[in-house]
Amino acid sequence: MADNFVDGIMETVESRNGGDVEFHQAVREVVESIAPVIEKHPEFAAAGIVERVVEPERQIIFRVPWMDDNGQVQVNRGFRVEFNSAIGPYKGGLRFHPSVNVGIIKFLGFEQTFKNALTGTPIGGGKGGCDFNPKGKSDNEVMRFCQSFMSELFRHIGPDTDVPAGDIGVGAREIGYLFGQYKKLTNTFVGILTGKGLGWGGSLVRTEATGYGLVYFVSRMLEARGKDWKGQKVVISGSGNVAIYATQKVQQLGGTVIALSDSNGYIVDNDGIKLDTVRQIKEVRRGRIKEYLEEHPSAEFHEGWEGIWSVPCDVALPSATQNELDGNAAGTLVANGCIAVAEGANMPSTPEAVKVFLDGGVSFGPAKAANAGGVATSALEMSQNSMRMSWSFEEVDKRLKGIMDSIYTQCVEAADAYGCNGNLVAGANIAGFLKVARAMMAQGVV
Ligand code: GLU
């Protein structure tokens, strides 16, 4: 039954979504995990739940014209895929990166649906973005681009309909320009985006939340092995928002982060990464990670981001982008004695890598569980906006920690209940799917 079920769903998904290989990859993983759930719950099959859950509710593709600093007109392609609203308004980030296409946004929106369900907050799944590259653009160019992007997006979103946020290439600056344009077009000041500035509706801890949440999740994985962060050597790929705040939290808890990367290469500092330098380079100057050596000449820089997984470590946190860690890299990590891997980025490990980790006895935290702290805190930002109140840093951080603990427990219990003890990939997929499926059952065929 399981093979027929998976093949049947994949046949439709692949024929309907041509070359969207990342989307196929994300769907296959979930569908394989939930095969035993469908076997146990024939009512889900009768209601076509899986056939519906793999098809986005709505996909919007639009032209984004803007004028660069030389007076030349540039044209980009924008997307918003509103994937599933069974649990709440569509919720998920916007990614601005040249690699963005509809397949990437579909894979991200699909993953987001189950991730958001796991947080236990009332948010559905969506994702958007554009093939615009903010790298090397002036602030004015980014502003004109964001204004043009929002001039179309605004008619599709709303505080109770669809609430975007940041992702790769979309941080505080972009959220500000997008928010300003939404407010101007609609003449409303509402919680239409999350990740807003602290003085205009943002939530404390939102900036840190994905990285902090990832580390809280790994604390539980380590605890299950009778360990904690003290003395752990940690390799984190990326040097954006997730990697920076994961590094900060690991350092606070007594671990040593020895490597970080960007798309050009990776740095290794065996004495421990000096986070102030990285933040200065990445958050203030928008520079390259190799500039770290100007202040810390005893560190090393290696060209090419792929090599980072050859740095021996106890814990690895892939936090750059999808499919950045393949089967070979996973083999190297296992051979070097790595005991825990958790995904800060969305789907950074290939299916081969995941298999190597699970077979190799490595504790593995999949993205939709391990990096859910960001979107969970977005949901807390939405709550504060609705109440027109702001909670303290301690209050939000406590809630974030509680949510990450609950996600970990749900994954462990769901894996146990369906005979895949210790497999957090299966656990996350099953627990997330069950929440969405039950809500869809209750709401009829819509
Ligand atoms: N882009 C983040 C994610 O992948 C956050 C989304 C949000 O806060 O809506 O979960």
Side-chain angles (χ1 to χ4, degrees), residues 58-116:
R58 193 175 297 107
Q59 306 182 51
I60 302 143
I61 302 184
F62 52 98
R63 182 174 71 189
V64 189
W66 55 281
M67 199 171 279
D68 69 19
D69 286 346
N70 299 320
Q72 294 284 315
V73 173
Q74 303 284 341
V75 178
N76 286 102
R77 179 172 284 187
F79 306 90
R80 186 72 184 166
V81 173
E82 297 180 332
F83 222 105
N84 193 297
S85 62
I87 288 184
Y90 309 105
K91 181 83 195 86
L94 297 171
R95 177 177 292 191
F96 294 167
H97 191 269
S99 66
V100 164
N101 57 44
V102 73
I104 298 275
I105 300 300
K106 265 187 268 180
F107 117 64
L108 290 164
F110 180 75
E111 293 273 295
Q112 197 84 47
T113 300
F114 305 106
K115 179 197 308 195
N116 294 2

Short mmCIF file of all heavy atoms in Angstrom, two decimals, residues 58-116:
data_model
loop_
_atom_site.label_atom_id
_atom_site.label_comp_id
_atom_site.label_asym_id
_atom_site.label_seq_id
_atom_site.Cartn_x
_atom_site.Cartn_y
_atom_site.Cartn_z
N ARG A 58 -3.72 28.81 -3.86
CA ARG A 58 -3.66 29.92 -4.82
C ARG A 58 -2.19 30.24 -5.13
O ARG A 58 -1.37 30.25 -4.21
CB ARG A 58 -4.33 31.16 -4.21
CG ARG A 58 -4.62 32.30 -5.16
CD ARG A 58 -5.41 33.42 -4.48
NE ARG A 58 -6.72 32.99 -4.02
CZ ARG A 58 -7.04 32.78 -2.74
NH1 ARG A 58 -6.18 33.02 -1.78
NH2 ARG A 58 -8.24 32.35 -2.41
N GLN A 59 -1.88 30.57 -6.42
CA GLN A 59 -0.52 30.97 -6.77
C GLN A 59 -0.58 32.26 -7.56
O GLN A 59 -1.25 32.31 -8.58
CB GLN A 59 0.14 29.90 -7.64
CG GLN A 59 0.12 28.51 -7.04
CD GLN A 59 0.83 27.49 -7.92
OE1 GLN A 59 1.96 27.71 -8.33
NE2 GLN A 59 0.17 26.40 -8.23
N ILE A 60 0.15 33.25 -7.10
CA ILE A 60 0.12 34.56 -7.76
C ILE A 60 1.51 34.84 -8.33
O ILE A 60 2.52 34.74 -7.61
CB ILE A 60 -0.27 35.66 -6.74
CG1 ILE A 60 -1.64 35.34 -6.13
CG2 ILE A 60 -0.27 37.04 -7.39
CD1 ILE A 60 -1.77 35.69 -4.68
N ILE A 61 1.57 35.17 -9.61
CA ILE A 61 2.85 35.49 -10.27
C ILE A 61 2.69 36.87 -10.90
O ILE A 61 1.70 37.11 -11.58
CB ILE A 61 3.21 34.43 -11.33
CG1 ILE A 61 3.28 33.04 -10.68
CG2 ILE A 61 4.54 34.77 -12.02
CD1 ILE A 61 3.73 31.92 -11.60
N PHE A 62 3.63 37.76 -10.65
CA PHE A 62 3.42 39.13 -11.12
C PHE A 62 4.71 39.82 -11.55
O PHE A 62 5.80 39.46 -11.12
CB PHE A 62 2.69 39.96 -10.06
CG PHE A 62 3.30 39.93 -8.67
CD1 PHE A 62 4.13 40.95 -8.22
CD2 PHE A 62 3.02 38.88 -7.80
CE1 PHE A 62 4.67 40.94 -6.94
CE2 PHE A 62 3.56 38.85 -6.51
CZ PHE A 62 4.39 39.87 -6.08
N ARG A 63 4.54 40.83 -12.41
CA ARG A 63 5.66 41.62 -12.92
C ARG A 63 6.06 42.67 -11.88
O ARG A 63 5.21 43.31 -11.28
CB ARG A 63 5.21 42.30 -14.21
CG ARG A 63 6.30 43.10 -14.87
CD ARG A 63 5.83 43.63 -16.20
NE ARG A 63 4.84 44.70 -16.04
CZ ARG A 63 4.14 45.22 -17.04
NH1 ARG A 63 4.28 44.76 -18.27
NH2 ARG A 63 3.29 46.19 -16.83
N VAL A 64 7.38 42.83 -11.70
CA VAL A 64 7.87 43.84 -10.77
C VAL A 64 8.85 44.76 -11.52
O VAL A 64 10.05 44.50 -11.58
CB VAL A 64 8.58 43.20 -9.55
CG1 VAL A 64 8.88 44.26 -8.49
CG2 VAL A 64 7.74 42.08 -8.94
N PRO A 65 8.33 45.85 -12.11
CA PRO A 65 9.21 46.78 -12.82
C PRO A 65 9.71 47.86 -11.87
O PRO A 65 8.97 48.33 -11.01
CB PRO A 65 8.27 47.39 -13.86
CG PRO A 65 6.90 47.31 -13.24
CD PRO A 65 6.90 46.20 -12.22
N TRP A 66 10.98 48.26 -12.00
CA TRP A 66 11.52 49.31 -11.14
C TRP A 66 12.68 49.98 -11.87
O TRP A 66 13.21 49.44 -12.84
CB TRP A 66 11.97 48.75 -9.79
CG TRP A 66 12.97 47.63 -9.88
CD1 TRP A 66 12.70 46.32 -10.17
CD2 TRP A 66 14.39 47.72 -9.74
NE1 TRP A 66 13.85 45.58 -10.20
CE2 TRP A 66 14.91 46.42 -9.93
CE3 TRP A 66 15.28 48.76 -9.46
CZ2 TRP A 66 16.28 46.13 -9.87
CZ3 TRP A 66 16.64 48.48 -9.38
CH2 TRP A 66 17.12 47.17 -9.58
N MET A 67 13.03 51.16 -11.42
CA MET A 67 14.08 51.90 -12.13
C MET A 67 15.37 51.90 -11.31
O MET A 67 15.35 52.25 -10.13
CB MET A 67 13.61 53.33 -12.38
CG MET A 67 14.42 53.97 -13.48
SD MET A 67 13.73 55.54 -13.98
CE MET A 67 12.43 55.05 -15.05
N ASP A 68 16.48 51.49 -11.92
CA ASP A 68 17.75 51.47 -11.18
C ASP A 68 18.37 52.86 -11.12
O ASP A 68 17.82 53.83 -11.68
CB ASP A 68 18.69 50.39 -11.74
CG ASP A 68 19.23 50.73 -13.13
OD1 ASP A 68 19.18 51.91 -13.54
OD2 ASP A 68 19.69 49.79 -13.81
N ASP A 69 19.53 52.97 -10.45
CA ASP A 69 20.13 54.29 -10.23
C ASP A 69 20.64 54.94 -11.52
O ASP A 69 20.90 56.14 -11.55
CB ASP A 69 21.29 54.18 -9.22
CG ASP A 69 20.78 53.96 -7.80
OD1 ASP A 69 19.56 54.18 -7.56
OD2 ASP A 69 21.58 53.57 -6.92
N ASN A 70 20.76 54.14 -12.59
CA ASN A 70 21.19 54.72 -13.88
C ASN A 70 20.01 55.12 -14.74
O ASN A 70 20.18 55.44 -15.92
CB ASN A 70 22.04 53.70 -14.65
CG ASN A 70 23.29 53.34 -13.88
OD1 ASN A 70 23.92 54.22 -13.26
ND2 ASN A 70 23.64 52.07 -13.89
N GLY A 71 18.81 55.02 -14.18
CA GLY A 71 17.62 55.38 -14.96
C GLY A 71 17.16 54.27 -15.90
O GLY A 71 16.29 54.49 -16.74
N GLN A 72 17.73 53.08 -15.76
CA GLN A 72 17.32 51.94 -16.60
C GLN A 72 16.15 51.22 -15.93
O GLN A 72 16.16 51.02 -14.73
CB GLN A 72 18.45 50.91 -16.68
CG GLN A 72 19.70 51.36 -17.39
CD GLN A 72 19.51 51.38 -18.90
OE1 GLN A 72 18.96 50.43 -19.45
NE2 GLN A 72 19.91 52.46 -19.54
N VAL A 73 15.18 50.80 -16.75
CA VAL A 73 14.07 50.02 -16.21
C VAL A 73 14.51 48.56 -16.06
O VAL A 73 15.07 47.97 -16.98
CB VAL A 73 12.83 50.13 -17.12
CG1 VAL A 73 11.73 49.19 -16.65
CG2 VAL A 73 12.34 51.57 -17.16
N GLN A 74 14.28 48.00 -14.89
CA GLN A 74 14.56 46.58 -14.63
C GLN A 74 13.23 45.87 -14.40
O GLN A 74 12.29 46.47 -13.87
CB GLN A 74 15.42 46.43 -13.36
CG GLN A 74 16.74 47.17 -13.40
CD GLN A 74 17.78 46.47 -14.27
OE1 GLN A 74 17.65 45.27 -14.56
NE2 GLN A 74 18.78 47.21 -14.71
N VAL A 75 13.18 44.62 -14.81
CA VAL A 75 11.94 43.85 -14.61
C VAL A 75 12.27 42.54 -13.90
O VAL A 75 13.13 41.79 -14.35
CB VAL A 75 11.24 43.54 -15.95
CG1 VAL A 75 9.97 42.71 -15.71
CG2 VAL A 75 10.89 44.83 -16.68
N ASN A 76 11.60 42.31 -12.78
CA ASN A 76 11.74 41.04 -12.07
C ASN A 76 10.39 40.32 -12.03
O ASN A 76 9.38 40.89 -12.43
CB ASN A 76 12.26 41.27 -10.65
CG ASN A 76 13.73 41.63 -10.64
OD1 ASN A 76 14.10 42.79 -10.50
ND2 ASN A 76 14.56 40.64 -10.82
N ARG A 77 10.44 39.07 -11.56
CA ARG A 77 9.21 38.29 -11.45
C ARG A 77 8.93 38.01 -9.96
O ARG A 77 9.80 37.49 -9.26
CB ARG A 77 9.35 36.98 -12.22
CG ARG A 77 8.11 36.12 -12.14
CD ARG A 77 8.19 34.93 -13.06
NE ARG A 77 7.95 35.30 -14.44
CZ ARG A 77 7.83 34.43 -15.43
NH1 ARG A 77 7.92 33.14 -15.20
NH2 ARG A 77 7.62 34.85 -16.67
N GLY A 78 7.74 38.39 -9.52
CA GLY A 78 7.36 38.21 -8.11
C GLY A 78 6.38 37.05 -7.95
O GLY A 78 5.65 36.70 -8.90
N PHE A 79 6.38 36.46 -6.77
CA PHE A 79 5.52 35.30 -6.49
C PHE A 79 4.92 35.40 -5.09
O PHE A 79 5.56 35.90 -4.17
CB PHE A 79 6.34 33.99 -6.48
CG PHE A 79 7.14 33.74 -7.72
CD1 PHE A 79 8.45 34.20 -7.82
CD2 PHE A 79 6.59 33.04 -8.79
CE1 PHE A 79 9.21 33.96 -8.96
CE2 PHE A 79 7.33 32.80 -9.93
CZ PHE A 79 8.65 33.26 -10.02
N ARG A 80 3.71 34.91 -4.94
CA ARG A 80 3.16 34.58 -3.61
C ARG A 80 2.35 33.32 -3.79
O ARG A 80 1.41 33.30 -4.60
CB ARG A 80 2.30 35.72 -3.05
CG ARG A 80 1.83 35.49 -1.61
CD ARG A 80 2.96 35.63 -0.59
NE ARG A 80 2.52 35.33 0.76
CZ ARG A 80 3.36 35.12 1.80
NH1 ARG A 80 4.68 35.19 1.63
NH2 ARG A 80 2.89 34.86 2.99
N VAL A 81 2.76 32.26 -3.10
CA VAL A 81 2.02 31.01 -3.17
C VAL A 81 1.30 30.83 -1.84
O VAL A 81 1.93 30.68 -0.79
CB VAL A 81 2.95 29.81 -3.47
CG1 VAL A 81 2.19 28.49 -3.37
CG2 VAL A 81 3.56 29.96 -4.87
N GLU A 82 -0.03 30.91 -1.89
CA GLU A 82 -0.86 30.78 -0.69
C GLU A 82 -1.23 29.31 -0.59
O GLU A 82 -2.11 28.83 -1.29
CB GLU A 82 -2.06 31.72 -0.80
CG GLU A 82 -1.57 33.18 -0.85
CD GLU A 82 -2.68 34.23 -0.97
OE1 GLU A 82 -3.76 33.92 -1.53
OE2 GLU A 82 -2.45 35.37 -0.51
N PHE A 83 -0.49 28.59 0.25
CA PHE A 83 -0.53 27.13 0.16
C PHE A 83 -1.70 26.50 0.89
O PHE A 83 -2.41 25.67 0.34
CB PHE A 83 0.79 26.52 0.65
CG PHE A 83 1.23 25.40 -0.23
CD1 PHE A 83 2.27 25.55 -1.13
CD2 PHE A 83 0.57 24.17 -0.19
CE1 PHE A 83 2.64 24.52 -1.98
CE2 PHE A 83 0.94 23.14 -1.03
CZ PHE A 83 1.97 23.32 -1.92
N ASN A 84 -1.87 26.87 2.15
CA ASN A 84 -2.90 26.18 2.92
C ASN A 84 -3.40 27.08 4.05
O ASN A 84 -2.60 27.61 4.83
CB ASN A 84 -2.32 24.88 3.51
CG ASN A 84 -3.40 23.96 4.06
OD1 ASN A 84 -4.10 24.31 5.00
ND2 ASN A 84 -3.55 22.79 3.45
N SER A 85 -4.72 27.24 4.14
CA SER A 85 -5.29 28.13 5.17
C SER A 85 -6.18 27.38 6.14
O SER A 85 -7.07 27.96 6.75
CB SER A 85 -6.07 29.27 4.50
OG SER A 85 -7.15 28.72 3.77
N ALA A 86 -5.94 26.07 6.30
CA ALA A 86 -6.82 25.28 7.18
C ALA A 86 -6.70 25.72 8.64
O ALA A 86 -7.67 25.66 9.39
CB ALA A 86 -6.49 23.79 7.05
N ILE A 87 -5.53 26.17 9.03
CA ILE A 87 -5.30 26.45 10.46
C ILE A 87 -5.33 27.94 10.78
O ILE A 87 -5.56 28.35 11.91
CB ILE A 87 -3.94 25.82 10.87
CG1 ILE A 87 -4.10 24.29 10.91
CG2 ILE A 87 -3.45 26.33 12.20
CD1 ILE A 87 -2.88 23.56 11.39
N GLY A 88 -5.12 28.77 9.76
CA GLY A 88 -5.10 30.22 10.00
C GLY A 88 -4.74 30.94 8.71
O GLY A 88 -4.60 30.30 7.65
N PRO A 89 -4.57 32.27 8.76
CA PRO A 89 -4.17 33.01 7.57
C PRO A 89 -2.84 32.48 7.02
O PRO A 89 -2.00 32.02 7.79
CB PRO A 89 -4.00 34.45 8.08
CG PRO A 89 -4.30 34.45 9.53
CD PRO A 89 -4.72 33.10 9.95
N TYR A 90 -2.68 32.55 5.71
CA TYR A 90 -1.40 32.13 5.11
C TYR A 90 -0.29 32.90 5.80
O TYR A 90 -0.40 34.10 6.04
CB TYR A 90 -1.36 32.45 3.61
CG TYR A 90 -2.56 31.95 2.85
CD1 TYR A 90 -3.55 32.84 2.43
CD2 TYR A 90 -2.72 30.60 2.57
CE1 TYR A 90 -4.67 32.39 1.74
CE2 TYR A 90 -3.84 30.15 1.87
CZ TYR A 90 -4.81 31.04 1.46
OH TYR A 90 -5.90 30.61 0.78
N LYS A 91 0.81 32.21 6.12
CA LYS A 91 1.92 32.84 6.82
C LYS A 91 3.21 32.25 6.33
O LYS A 91 3.35 31.02 6.25
CB LYS A 91 1.78 32.58 8.35
CG LYS A 91 2.88 33.24 9.16
CD LYS A 91 2.57 34.69 9.44
CE LYS A 91 3.76 35.49 9.94
NZ LYS A 91 4.61 36.03 8.82
N GLY A 92 4.16 33.11 6.03
CA GLY A 92 5.48 32.64 5.58
C GLY A 92 6.23 33.78 4.95
O GLY A 92 5.64 34.81 4.59
N GLY A 93 7.52 33.61 4.82
CA GLY A 93 8.39 34.71 4.42
C GLY A 93 8.38 35.04 2.94
O GLY A 93 7.72 34.38 2.13
N LEU A 94 9.14 36.08 2.62
CA LEU A 94 9.43 36.48 1.24
C LEU A 94 10.93 36.29 1.05
O LEU A 94 11.72 36.72 1.88
CB LEU A 94 9.09 37.96 1.02
CG LEU A 94 7.62 38.35 1.18
CD1 LEU A 94 7.49 39.88 1.15
CD2 LEU A 94 6.76 37.72 0.09
N ARG A 95 11.31 35.67 -0.06
CA ARG A 95 12.73 35.47 -0.37
C ARG A 95 13.10 36.28 -1.60
O ARG A 95 12.46 36.11 -2.65
CB ARG A 95 13.01 33.98 -0.60
CG ARG A 95 14.45 33.69 -0.99
CD ARG A 95 14.73 32.21 -1.14
NE ARG A 95 14.68 31.52 0.14
CZ ARG A 95 15.09 30.26 0.32
NH1 ARG A 95 15.57 29.56 -0.70
NH2 ARG A 95 15.02 29.69 1.51
N PHE A 96 14.12 37.14 -1.49
CA PHE A 96 14.63 37.86 -2.66
C PHE A 96 16.00 37.30 -2.98
O PHE A 96 16.99 37.54 -2.27
CB PHE A 96 14.76 39.38 -2.36
CG PHE A 96 13.44 40.10 -2.14
CD1 PHE A 96 13.43 41.38 -1.60
CD2 PHE A 96 12.23 39.53 -2.51
CE1 PHE A 96 12.23 42.08 -1.40
CE2 PHE A 96 11.02 40.22 -2.31
CZ PHE A 96 11.03 41.48 -1.75
N HIS A 97 16.09 36.54 -4.06
CA HIS A 97 17.36 35.90 -4.43
C HIS A 97 17.25 35.54 -5.91
O HIS A 97 16.17 35.13 -6.37
CB HIS A 97 17.59 34.64 -3.57
CG HIS A 97 18.97 34.06 -3.71
ND1 HIS A 97 19.27 33.10 -4.64
CD2 HIS A 97 20.11 34.33 -3.03
CE1 HIS A 97 20.57 32.80 -4.53
NE2 HIS A 97 21.10 33.52 -3.56
N PRO A 98 18.37 35.65 -6.67
CA PRO A 98 18.27 35.35 -8.11
C PRO A 98 17.80 33.94 -8.42
O PRO A 98 17.28 33.68 -9.51
CB PRO A 98 19.70 35.58 -8.63
CG PRO A 98 20.52 36.02 -7.48
CD PRO A 98 19.67 36.19 -6.28
N SER A 99 17.95 33.00 -7.48
CA SER A 99 17.55 31.61 -7.76
C SER A 99 16.04 31.38 -7.60
O SER A 99 15.55 30.29 -7.87
CB SER A 99 18.27 30.67 -6.79
OG SER A 99 17.82 30.92 -5.46
N VAL A 100 15.31 32.40 -7.16
CA VAL A 100 13.88 32.20 -6.87
C VAL A 100 13.08 31.94 -8.16
O VAL A 100 13.21 32.65 -9.15
CB VAL A 100 13.30 33.42 -6.11
CG1 VAL A 100 11.78 33.42 -6.14
CG2 VAL A 100 13.80 33.42 -4.66
N ASN A 101 12.28 30.87 -8.12
CA ASN A 101 11.31 30.60 -9.18
C ASN A 101 10.09 29.98 -8.51
O ASN A 101 10.10 29.76 -7.30
CB ASN A 101 11.91 29.68 -10.26
CG ASN A 101 12.42 28.37 -9.68
OD1 ASN A 101 11.74 27.76 -8.85
ND2 ASN A 101 13.59 27.94 -10.08
N VAL A 102 9.08 29.67 -9.30
CA VAL A 102 7.84 29.21 -8.67
C VAL A 102 8.03 27.88 -7.92
O VAL A 102 7.40 27.63 -6.89
CB VAL A 102 6.67 29.17 -9.68
CG1 VAL A 102 6.81 28.01 -10.66
CG2 VAL A 102 5.33 29.13 -8.97
N GLY A 103 8.95 27.04 -8.42
CA GLY A 103 9.19 25.74 -7.77
C GLY A 103 9.79 25.91 -6.38
O GLY A 103 9.41 25.22 -5.43
N ILE A 104 10.74 26.84 -6.27
CA ILE A 104 11.37 27.10 -4.96
C ILE A 104 10.30 27.63 -4.00
O ILE A 104 10.22 27.22 -2.84
CB ILE A 104 12.50 28.15 -5.11
CG1 ILE A 104 13.62 27.63 -6.04
CG2 ILE A 104 13.03 28.59 -3.75
CD1 ILE A 104 14.67 26.79 -5.40
N ILE A 105 9.46 28.54 -4.47
CA ILE A 105 8.45 29.12 -3.58
C ILE A 105 7.41 28.06 -3.18
O ILE A 105 6.95 28.03 -2.04
CB ILE A 105 7.78 30.35 -4.24
CG1 ILE A 105 8.84 31.43 -4.56
CG2 ILE A 105 6.68 30.93 -3.37
CD1 ILE A 105 9.59 31.98 -3.36
N LYS A 106 7.09 27.17 -4.11
CA LYS A 106 6.14 26.09 -3.78
C LYS A 106 6.72 25.16 -2.73
O LYS A 106 6.04 24.76 -1.79
CB LYS A 106 5.80 25.28 -5.03
CG LYS A 106 4.52 25.75 -5.71
CD LYS A 106 4.12 24.82 -6.82
CE LYS A 106 4.71 25.29 -8.14
NZ LYS A 106 4.35 24.43 -9.27
N PHE A 107 8.00 24.80 -2.88
CA PHE A 107 8.60 23.89 -1.88
C PHE A 107 8.60 24.58 -0.51
O PHE A 107 8.26 23.97 0.51
CB PHE A 107 10.01 23.44 -2.33
CG PHE A 107 11.17 23.84 -1.45
CD1 PHE A 107 11.29 23.37 -0.14
CD2 PHE A 107 12.17 24.68 -1.93
CE1 PHE A 107 12.36 23.75 0.67
CE2 PHE A 107 13.24 25.05 -1.13
CZ PHE A 107 13.34 24.59 0.18
N LEU A 108 8.93 25.85 -0.49
CA LEU A 108 8.99 26.57 0.79
C LEU A 108 7.59 26.72 1.40
O LEU A 108 7.41 26.54 2.61
CB LEU A 108 9.64 27.95 0.59
CG LEU A 108 11.14 27.91 0.27
CD1 LEU A 108 11.62 29.25 -0.29
CD2 LEU A 108 11.96 27.54 1.51
N GLY A 109 6.59 26.99 0.57
CA GLY A 109 5.22 27.14 1.07
C GLY A 109 4.65 25.83 1.59
O GLY A 109 3.92 25.80 2.59
N PHE A 110 5.02 24.76 0.93
CA PHE A 110 4.57 23.42 1.36
C PHE A 110 5.17 23.08 2.73
O PHE A 110 4.46 22.70 3.66
CB PHE A 110 5.02 22.40 0.30
CG PHE A 110 4.63 20.98 0.60
CD1 PHE A 110 3.32 20.56 0.44
CD2 PHE A 110 5.58 20.07 1.03
CE1 PHE A 110 2.96 19.24 0.71
CE2 PHE A 110 5.23 18.76 1.31
CZ PHE A 110 3.92 18.35 1.15
N GLU A 111 6.48 23.26 2.85
CA GLU A 111 7.16 23.00 4.13
C GLU A 111 6.57 23.87 5.24
O GLU A 111 6.39 23.45 6.37
CB GLU A 111 8.65 23.34 4.00
CG GLU A 111 9.42 22.44 3.07
CD GLU A 111 9.93 21.20 3.77
OE1 GLU A 111 10.76 21.31 4.68
OE2 GLU A 111 9.45 20.11 3.42
N GLN A 112 6.31 25.13 4.86
CA GLN A 112 5.83 26.12 5.84
C GLN A 112 4.51 25.68 6.45
O GLN A 112 4.25 25.91 7.63
CB GLN A 112 5.67 27.48 5.13
CG GLN A 112 5.56 28.66 6.06
CD GLN A 112 6.92 29.18 6.51
OE1 GLN A 112 7.81 29.36 5.70
NE2 GLN A 112 7.08 29.42 7.79
N THR A 113 3.66 25.05 5.65
CA THR A 113 2.33 24.64 6.13
C THR A 113 2.45 23.71 7.34
O THR A 113 1.76 23.88 8.34
CB THR A 113 1.58 23.91 4.98
OG1 THR A 113 1.46 24.84 3.90
CG2 THR A 113 0.21 23.43 5.41
N PHE A 114 3.37 22.75 7.27
CA PHE A 114 3.51 21.76 8.36
C PHE A 114 4.32 22.35 9.51
O PHE A 114 4.05 22.09 10.68
CB PHE A 114 4.13 20.47 7.83
CG PHE A 114 3.34 19.93 6.67
CD1 PHE A 114 3.80 20.02 5.38
CD2 PHE A 114 2.08 19.39 6.89
CE1 PHE A 114 3.04 19.57 4.31
CE2 PHE A 114 1.30 18.94 5.83
CZ PHE A 114 1.79 19.03 4.53
N LYS A 115 5.32 23.16 9.16
CA LYS A 115 6.11 23.84 10.20
C LYS A 115 5.19 24.71 11.06
O LYS A 115 5.23 24.66 12.29
CB LYS A 115 7.16 24.72 9.50
CG LYS A 115 8.05 25.50 10.45
CD LYS A 115 8.80 26.66 9.78
CE LYS A 115 9.57 26.27 8.55
NZ LYS A 115 10.55 27.32 8.16
N ASN A 116 4.35 25.48 10.39
CA ASN A 116 3.48 26.39 11.12
C ASN A 116 2.49 25.63 11.99
O ASN A 116 2.17 26.04 13.11
CB ASN A 116 2.75 27.32 10.14
CG ASN A 116 3.72 28.26 9.42
OD1 ASN A 116 4.92 28.19 9.64
ND2 ASN A 116 3.20 29.14 8.58
#
